[in-house]
Amino acid sequence: HMLPVELELPSRLLLISSSASAMARSASRAGMETIALDFYADVDTLEATHAVSAVKTGRYGFDSDDLLAKASCLAPPKDFPLVYGSGLDSSPELLEKLSENRQILGNQPHVLRAVRNTSHFFSILDQLEIPYPDTRWSPPVDNSPKKWLIKRGLSEGGKGIRWLDQH
C-alpha cells in the first residue's frame, strides 16, 4: 500500500527534447509556465507553452551553441529548472553546460555518463538479472544463423537501428 506523496512543484520549467510537445501539455495541465526548446516549435507545443523555439540540429542531435544561447536567453537559469527528454541522452557534456546555475529535474550528467559506459551498464543489468537481447561488440562470423541488428553507440532509443548486412 503506497502513501500519497505531496510534491512541491516548480511554477516554471525549461523543457528540452527532440519534441517537447507532450511534456509541454503535461506541464500546462499542472499549471506551470514553460519555455520549450525542440527541433520543431510546432503549433501544439506553442499552445501549451509560454514560448517555444526551434533549435538547430548538430551532427548528433542539438546544435550545442544554439541550444545554450536559446536556453540562457529565454529561460534564465535561476528561474527555470530543466526537464529534458530525448535528444540530450547521448550528450552528458551538453547537459553539464545546461546545468550550470540551473536545477535539473531528472537524471544528472554523471548518470548519463554511467549508462554510456556499456560494459558498466551491462554488468548492472547482469547483477540485477534484467534480461536483454544477445549483444556483441564485434561483427558475428559470416555463417551466423542469426539476423543481427546494429546500432550506433552514441544514440538514444531506437535511433540508428538497422539490420546488419552480412553479405
Side-chain angles (χ1 to χ4, degrees):
H1 182 58
M2 294 183 66
L3 298 175
V5 175
E6 293 255 346
L7 296 175
E8 188 173 324
L9 298 174
S11 61
R12 298 169 147 185
L13 289 176
L14 169 61
L15 308 173
I16 299 176
S17 186
S18 296
S19 173
S21 182
M23 290 191 303
R25 288 191 310 272
S26 179
S28 176
R29 284 191 301 271
M32 297 176 182
E33 176 187 343
T34 58
I35 304 293
L37 301 175
D38 68 10
F39 290 129
Y40 310 103
D42 55 38
V43 173
D44 291 345
T45 308
L46 179 58
E47 289 175 351
T49 61
H50 181 261
V52 63
S53 184
V55 178
K56 295 175 190 172
T57 57
R59 183 169 180 187
Y60 295 115
F62 290 110
D63 176 279
S64 298
D65 293 337
D66 191 41
L67 180 63
L68 292 168
K70 287 180 177 176
S72 177
C73 177
L74 295 173
K78 294 193 185 317
D79 298 333
F80 286 84
L82 169 63
V83 173
Y84 67 93
S86 66
L88 284 176
D89 314 48
S90 58
S91 302
E93 296 78 18
L94 180 54
L95 185 60
E96 189 84 51
K97 290 177 184 173
L98 284 163
S99 71
E100 291 173 8
N101 301 311
R102 185 186 305 275
Q103 180 186 12
I104 297 178
L105 304 176
N107 288 327
Q108 305 299 305
H110 73 275
V111 174
L112 293 185
R113 283 188 191 90
V115 298
R116 303 299 303 157
N117 178 333
T118 52
S119 61
H120 177 70
F121 175 74
F122 283 104
S123 72
I124 290 172
L125 293 180
D126 290 338
Q127 289 171 14
L128 298 173
E129 298 179 1
I130 297 174
Y132 54 89
D134 286 345
T135 304
R136 53 185 308 136
W137 310 114
S138 59
V141 293
D142 286 340
N143 60 0
S144 174
K146 295 183 180 181
K147 285 193 165 244
W148 289 87
L149 294 173
I150 189 169
K151 181 180 187 320
R152 192 172 63 85
L154 296 175
S155 63
E156 64 273 346
K159 210 168 163 182
I161 294 176
R162 61 182 174 81
W163 288 105
L164 174 66
D165 182 11
Q166 293 180 306
H167 302 290

